Amino acid sequence: MIPKYRDLFNSQFTDRKYQEFKDDIASDFDYAPTFRIGETPFFISNELKAQMLEGCADVIKLIQHKDFKKLTEKSLELNHKVPNEDEHTTFLAIDFGICEENGAVVPKLIEVQGFPSLYNYQINLYEKFKNHYPFLKDLTPFINDITYQKYLETLEEVICNNHPKENVILLEIEPEKQNTKIDFYYCRRDLSIPIVCVTDLIKKGNQLFYKNENGEEILIKRIYNRVIFDELDLRTDLKLNFHFSDDLDVEWVGHPNWFFRISKFILPFLKGKYFIETTLLSDLTEIPKDLENYVLKPLFSFSGSGVIFHVKKEDVEAVVEKELYILQKKVHYIPILQSPDGKVKAEVRVLCVWKKNDAAPTLLCNLARLSRGEMIGVKFNKDKDWVGGTLGLFER
């Protein structure tokens, strides 16, 4: 998207340099991420950035609506409901596919999540890219061109809320086995908060505790929640000493209810040039005859699980809980990023935080994913290069 930087990057790229870049990441914790790291950043023009920000503003406008909780209450009735919900979400991730429409490049909203993403990993990824391609310091992954330090201060304010670090935990299901654990490691290093498995929490009355490295029980005042209920529901082998539905004396940063409220559930309510025609299956009056132009998606799945890309009439008819699925028009990702041997598709996730007393979220940075396959995602990009997780860089 920015020819000057694309040409410069490609002229400097070698397979050896890519391996050194990955080794640099692995050296921080003697751990190589299990997801594929893209060879290159995605260089985003000011024009495309402006379009994405306009799309973000339209999404945020819906979420700020005074009746938003009423509008999304059904999402909780269909799932888990956790007590002590706050006024608004703390995290917001807005995903745009870089698409083609009427011969023009346009970002199209693919998904929106009221759930944390790789906030700590992404800024460290930027530092690694600069180590190996020093000219990238002229660009920024930050929406408002803030400093690395300011970014971390903002994240610390949001996640810790002025509590002592030992009383704030990052909570996950068997964090050592998660694909995203490199983000947890950076979070622990940069914000100094412990990583705790759900099975290690101790409940006393309405309070929760964990044991520190010395075996001492420490009161938990705030939980940075990374637990996905989809996974928790499947893990019937886990023995928890508490229930998420308990009325607990704890602050949630990333309250679990927002995972359901801000999800594919709201896509049918979003109308405009950056949004895709989306219909709740229970609201479908007739099955479209051109199903090859649609995708069938479960509302509350994570990482693309359960999505049917080549939809048949019997797929739609077979869905029993129709209020839990959407039928979405396909969009055409445009091969836009020039690799050494052809062009690559891209998707950009804008990462936001919403401070407790602010009227609106703060747009911070981004995450990008590259694909040569039919869809963005690992299973569609096996044995391919110049694909995987990376970040977008903007002009200053």
Side-chain angles (χ1 to χ4, degrees), residues 2-135:
I2 311 176
K4 169 188 170 183
Y5 292 109
R6 173 51 52 212
D7 293 345
L8 190 54
F9 185 93
N10 287 17
S11 70
Q12 294 187 15
F13 177 84
T14 64
D15 288 336
R16 180 177 177 179
K17 201 165 186 176
Y18 174 51
Q19 187 59 53
E20 290 170 347
F21 162 66
K22 291 192 295 179
D23 290 345
D24 192 3
I25 294 170
S27 70
D28 281 344
F29 307 105
D30 192 23
Y31 165 74
T34 49
F35 56 84
R36 193 178 195 285
I37 299 170
E39 282 85 339
T40 177
F42 177 42
F43 301 122
I44 300 173
S45 68
N46 286 331
E47 181 183 5
L48 180 59
K49 178 184 178 182
Q51 289 178 307
M52 288 194 298
L53 296 188
E54 188 179 347
C56 287
D58 289 343
V59 172
I60 290 167
K61 186 176 179 181
L62 173 68
I63 295 170
Q64 287 177 308
H65 195 280
K66 62 182 176 63
D67 291 328
F68 184 75
K69 282 198 174 184
K70 183 179 178 182
L71 183 73
T72 56
E73 193 63 24
K74 190 177 180 183
S75 70
L76 300 184
E77 294 169 7
L78 297 168
N79 291 282
H80 302 260
K81 190 170 185 177
V82 177
N84 304 315
E85 182 182 322
D86 40 10
E87 284 302 305
H88 54 70
T89 187
T90 306
F91 301 104
L92 185 61
I94 307 173
D95 290 9
F96 293 99
I98 309 306
C99 300
E100 183 177 29
E101 190 173 70
N102 301 321
V105 175
V106 61
K108 288 287 188 176
L109 182 76
I110 304 300
E111 192 158 353
V112 55
Q113 299 169 0
F115 193 78
S117 190
L118 306 181
Y119 286 85
N120 285 89
Y121 170 71
Q122 287 304 118
I123 54 164
N124 284 288
L125 182 62
Y126 175 50
E127 296 302 308
K128 300 301 186 184
F129 267 123
K130 287 191 297 181
N131 287 349
H132 299 271
Y133 301 90
F135 72 88

Side-chain angles (χ1 to χ4, degrees), residues 10 19 111 125 185 190 252 285 334:
N10 287 17
Q19 187 59 53
E111 192 158 353
L125 182 62
Y185 291 162
D190 296 342
W252 294 97
T285 53
I334 183 171

Side-chain angles (χ1 to χ4, degrees), residues 376-394:
I376 304 284
V378 174
K379 64 182 177 182
F380 296 97
N381 288 279
K382 287 179 180 176
D383 306 318
K384 295 181 172 70
D385 61 3
W386 285 61
V387 299
T390 183
L391 79 169
L393 293 179
F394 306 108

Side-chain angles (χ1 to χ4, degrees), residues 303-320:
S303 299
S305 62
V307 174
I308 300 177
F309 193 72
H310 300 289
V311 188
K312 299 181 179 65
K313 185 179 179 183
E314 49 267 34
D315 294 324
V316 179
E317 292 173 338
V319 175
V320 177

Side-chain angles (χ1 to χ4, degrees), residues 165-176 178 184 188 193-202 208-213 218 220 222-227 242 244:
K165 301 294 183 65
E166 69 170 1
N167 301 120
V168 182
I169 65 164
L170 186 158
L171 187 67
E172 178 57 289
I173 300 164
E174 295 183 331
E176 287 297 318
Q178 296 292 338
F184 307 161
R188 179 171 59 191
I193 64 173
I195 304 166
V196 180
C197 178
V198 288
T199 56
D200 292 332
L201 295 191
I202 303 160
L208 293 177
F209 299 79
Y210 74 98
K211 287 186 178 180
N212 66 11
E213 293 177 350
I218 306 297
I220 299 168
R222 193 163 170 85
I223 296 175
Y224 178 27
N225 181 50
R226 303 296 292 260
V227 175
F242 78 106
F244 279 83

